[in-house]
Amino acid sequence: MLAGQGSNEQAAGGDAEQAGAHAPAGFFALALGSIGVVYGDIGTSPLYALREAVHAVSGGISGGAWPIARETIIGVLSLILWSLILVVTIKYVVILLRADNKGEGGTLSLVALAQRAMGRSHGLVLALGITGAALFYGDSMLTPAISVLSAVEGFRLAAPELGHYVVPITVVILVALFAVQSRGTGKVAAFFGPVMALWFAVLGLTGLLHIMDDPDVFRALLPHYGLMFLINHPAVAFAVLGAVCLAVTGAEALYADLGHFGRGPIRAAWMGFVFPALVLNYFGQGALVLAHPDAIENPFYRLVPDWGLLPLTVMAMVATIIASQAVITGAFSLTRQAIQLGLLPRLEVRFTSASHQGQIFLPRVNAMLLVGVLFLVAMFGSSSGLAHAYGISVFGAMVVDGILAILVIWRGWRWSLALAALLITPFLAIDIAFFAANLLKLFSGGYVPVLLASILIIVMWTWVKGTAILFAKTRKVDVPLVELVEMLQKSPPHRVKGTAVFLTSDPETAPSALLHNLKHNKVLHEKNVILTVKTADVPRIGDEERVNIEPIADGFWRVEMTFGYMETPNVPKGLAILRKRGFKFDIMSTSFFLSRRSIRPAAQSGMPLWQDRLFISLAKNANDATDFFQIPTGRVVEVGTQVTV
């Protein structure tokens, strides 16, 4: 919920106007980078999409001349083409790329926009956001597994003696892919862009070479043939839709990557290069199958002569590795947004670029994805097996995007509800149809993404609910800050030199660290800052809006420091802004007081005992506040308190 920006401004803005303001070379570099990262997933769909769709029609019959009518091949091709046009081109590239939150895209950006339009506490928006994020994580595990497996399976044609090593080779490739993530997406994309550009050129060329094998294939340009196929074959319509949808997987990742390349470059790459190459390849496969029905066993690899099988397999293997990058880095971005929106506990975020904020690496998320991907490869063992598990998470996330888009267009763009629904409902209906079609695979593999999403939904909902309960309980025993300050004015304790910064989530109540410092040390600093760090529902904010300071009484100030949900909070930099505004203090004589809570399950809680324990485990494994807020470790004083939840 991703790399290679031309500039910080463009990464933050992400729209066509900003992209156009840069030099053509910068725009071209961004478009090339988007080909490598944004379109990697959708660019490897020709490896298996048409094959699986026709297999769904035939019921999996293999070998010999396939008893499939020409109208069926044309109908399936028409469904693939118009799915690319309606779902990817119109819904995502044309409409949803406009629904950016200060340049950032993805499900959680839609959540932030919808919260701003509907009210931050709106339960429906929060539930949709949690569900969409959980489904995207499932996609982030399934995409690398199916993509790399489908490419390595080409060795069974090119080098049959390697057929038994498909799974081990896949495992080695995947481990290497996740191992290089820590180097940064920018370096990866610099290599991926040109390679994927070559891949799409090969897709277009191999399709073009066969497109005249049977000119009848051009009838698929008319949507009539796709609709008539569904009407005339109701018994297999849902099964075919469940395979056709494989051609558009990657569209959600396209939207999630918006902030890293900008709207203009992403659109230009799709319209001018990626979409034509995909259409040529699918039509080339269709013409080949019409002319040689036995080619349906693996139409993609049959596009090249025998001598070209091994080079194409190697290139496909590289392309599928790159395809996995879009969802991996999308998961990094999504996790960071989820942390900032309060859906997950703090996790370590490493910046991999000094100039581009969006290039990040999250070690724990990377490790979790690797374990999940390897488990899926071992469990299913083939791309056909994984195809049964693939679509539910992808189209579940797309359905969530569609519902959130209606809310954003209605309340955020101030359209009438009827117009917003009229615009999005046709695309939402397509997504729901694809999602329903994939539910038919629930017991043959589709339960995997459902199980993964369910676990992640429970984790996120537990964190949201637990933090709310904890906040409510601590409010009951907290002392109002103003009352405490008035008491200290009447009976002042001993003052020591320097500045004390007390971090708290509630600026209206006295921080527990301040109370414990007074109780046990019986001293007060000359300057006391009650600091609250907040997350805005925009990706990034300027320094002029970063810090607000309010004097409370002699020696006390209330400071509110705000960061965008795509930014990592940096308290020292925020305090440096205060110094420029005239608030004098010496960082070397400043102490930061943090409360370290020891959480215990309560006898009477708002959650079941198992959920209490899950919340406590999540809290224990959260990244240390000192690291998260980038506070100098030598200036931190931690005060322990015990609370129940």
Side-chain angles (χ1 to χ4, degrees):
M1 196 121 282
L2 288 123
Q5 300 96 314
S7 71
N8 262 353
E9 292 79 5
Q10 185 150 349
D15 60 17
E17 290 78 9
Q18 283 176 303
H22 290 269
F27 185 93
F28 175 79
L30 286 168
L32 183 63
S34 72
I35 291 172
V37 174
V38 174
Y39 295 114
D41 186 5
I42 204 167
T44 54
S45 295
L47 284 164
Y48 46 79
L50 181 64
R51 180 193 72 199
E52 293 301 322
V54 179
H55 278 217
V57 178
S58 67
I61 302 171
S62 60
W66 286 60
I68 300 175
R70 296 173 64 83
E71 298 299 315
T72 297
I73 301 295
I74 293 169
V76 168
L77 267 180
S78 182
L79 289 172
I80 289 175
L81 171 67
W82 284 95
S83 295
L84 289 170
I85 292 172
L86 295 173
V87 176
V88 184
T89 306
I90 300 179
K91 180 188 173 185
Y92 278 97
V93 174
V94 174
I95 298 175
L96 281 186
L97 284 186
R98 292 181 57 82
D100 65 298
N101 188 15
K102 296 294 181 69
E104 296 296 339
T107 299
L108 291 186
S109 285
L110 278 175
V111 168
L113 289 170
Q115 282 182 333
R116 196 183 311 157
M118 305 287 293
R120 288 188 63 88
S121 60
H122 202 284
L124 173 62
V125 174
L126 185 63
L128 286 170
I130 289 174
T131 303
L135 288 166
F136 188 85
Y137 281 118
D139 185 19
S140 300
M141 293 181 189
L142 286 161
T143 294
I146 191 173
S147 297
V148 177
L149 257 178
S150 64
V152 178
E153 284 169 352
F155 281 121
R156 288 178 177 154
L157 293 175
E161 64 276 9
L162 295 177
H164 296 295
Y165 299 98
V166 167
V167 171
I169 292 171
T170 300
V171 168
V172 170
I173 291 171
L174 288 169
V175 170
L177 172 65
F178 281 91
V180 301
Q181 293 302 313
S182 61
R183 296 183 177 271
T185 319
K187 294 177 181 177
V188 173
F191 168 72
F192 283 179
V195 172
M196 283 307 292
L198 177 62
W199 170 253
F200 281 109
V202 169
L203 288 182
L205 180 61
T206 53
L208 187 62
L209 290 174
H210 287 275
I211 206 165
M212 294 309 295
D213 286 4
D214 195 320
D216 214 24
V217 74
F218 288 108
R219 286 196 291 155
L221 291 169
L222 301 176
H224 164 79
Y225 290 97
L227 291 172
M228 291 309 298
F229 170 80
L230 295 177
I231 293 169
N232 295 331
H233 301 83
V236 295
F238 265 117
V240 171
L241 282 177
V244 166
C245 71
L246 295 172
V248 298
T249 55
E252 211 288 327
L254 172 159
Y255 179 43
D257 292 346
L258 171 61
H260 297 265
F261 296 97
R263 186 187 305 157
I266 289 176
R267 280 180 172 167
W270 173 257
M271 299 291 194
F273 188 55
V274 175
F275 178 58
L278 289 173
V279 172
L280 284 173
N281 190 268
Y282 281 121
F283 274 48
Q285 289 188 48
L288 176 66
V289 171
L290 287 174
H292 308 283
D294 61 323
I296 194 58
E297 184 181 353
N298 207 321
F300 177 79
Y301 285 108
R302 290 290 294 272
L303 289 174
V304 296
D306 291 343
W307 59 264
L309 275 175
L310 189 57
L312 185 62
T313 300
V314 172
M315 184 173 287
M317 195 161 56
V318 174
T320 53
I321 294 170
I322 296 171
S324 306
Q325 189 66 45
V327 290
I328 294 172
T329 49
F332 292 161
S333 241
L334 185 84
T335 304
R336 188 181 178 194
Q337 294 179 49
I339 293 168
Q340 297 297 72
L341 291 173
L343 303 181
L344 287 172
R346 294 187 301 262
L347 298 173
E348 180 185 0
V349 178
R350 296 181 191 171
F351 289 86
T352 57
S353 170
S355 56
H356 304 314
Q357 300 180 56
Q359 295 179 15
I360 56 175
F361 171 68
L362 284 80
R364 290 189 191 179
V365 175
N366 194 61
M368 179 192 75
L369 291 178
L370 175 59
V371 170
V373 168
L374 294 180
F375 173 77
L376 290 171
V377 169
M379 181 178 180
F380 288 95
S382 71
S383 61
S384 291
L386 272 166
H388 290 284
Y390 196 30
I392 290 178
S393 58
V394 175
F395 286 94
M398 287 188 181
V399 168
V400 169
D401 284 350
I403 297 171
L404 287 170
I406 291 176
L407 298 177
V408 170
I409 294 169
W410 169 36
R411 298 294 291 271
W413 294 5
R414 303 194 182 281
W415 288 30
S416 69
L417 179 58
L419 278 177
L422 187 64
L423 177 65
I424 298 297
T425 300
F427 307 108
L428 185 58
I430 295 170
D431 293 337
I432 291 173
F434 280 140
F435 181 68
N438 279 282
L439 286 178
L440 295 177
K441 309 172 186 175
L442 187 62
F443 298 106
S444 60
Y447 62 88
V448 172
V450 172
L451 185 62
L452 287 172
S454 299
I455 292 170
L456 289 164
I457 287 170
I458 291 170
V459 167
M460 285 187 273
W461 189 250
T462 297
W463 183 254
V464 170
K465 192 175 180 182
T467 50
I469 292 172
L470 200 60
F471 181 76
K473 283 193 173 185
T474 53
R475 282 295 295 268
K476 292 179 182 179
V477 297
D478 282 338
V479 179
L481 179 62
V482 174
E483 286 185 18
L484 177 67
V485 171
E486 289 174 353
M487 290 169 54
L488 293 173
Q489 297 295 316
K490 294 176 183 177
S491 178
H494 177 69
R495 293 260 185 170
V496 295
K497 290 184 177 181
T499 303
V501 178
F502 297 92
L503 273 79
T504 177
S505 60
D506 182 8
E508 300 301 322
T509 60
S512 58
L514 171 59
L515 295 172
H516 281 267
N517 188 47
L518 287 167
K519 180 180 178 180
H520 297 289
N521 298 326
K522 305 189 187 321
V523 295
L524 195 66
H525 285 71
E526 286 181 331
K527 294 182 177 181
N528 298 274
V529 174
I530 311 303
L531 174 62
T532 304
V533 179
K534 292 192 172 181
T535 301
D537 59 1
V538 295
R540 299 176 182 87
I541 63 171
D543 284 349
E544 65 279 0
E545 302 173 358
R546 179 80 65 202
V547 182
N548 288 319
I549 184 167
E550 173 193 351
I552 303 172
D554 181 36
F556 277 89
W557 291 264
R558 186 186 280 125
V559 173
E560 184 179 283
M561 203 173 288
T562 309
F563 296 88
Y565 66 82
M566 288 294 288
E567 298 177 296
T568 297
N570 189 314
V571 167
K573 284 187 177 180
L575 292 176
I577 295 172
L578 270 185
R579 185 184 296 167
K580 291 178 182 177
R581 294 183 184 176
F583 183 77
K584 302 298 182 185
F585 70 97
D586 180 9
I587 189 68
M588 297 310 296
S589 61
T590 298
S591 297
F592 295 86
F593 287 82
L594 303 177
S595 296
R596 180 175 288 276
R597 289 172 173 170
S598 176
I599 307 174
R600 297 284 184 270
Q604 292 184 340
S605 171
M607 298 188 295
L609 182 59
W610 67 267
Q611 206 168 13
D612 280 342
R613 289 175 174 168
L614 174 59
F615 176 74
I616 291 168
S617 175
L618 290 171
K620 284 181 178 178
N621 286 283
N623 199 34
D624 187 75
T626 304
D627 295 331
F628 186 78
F629 293 116
Q630 302 188 49
I631 302 170
T633 53
R635 310 303 310 168
V636 174
V637 178
E638 290 190 344
V639 180
T641 58
Q642 189 172 103
V643 293
T644 59
V645 65

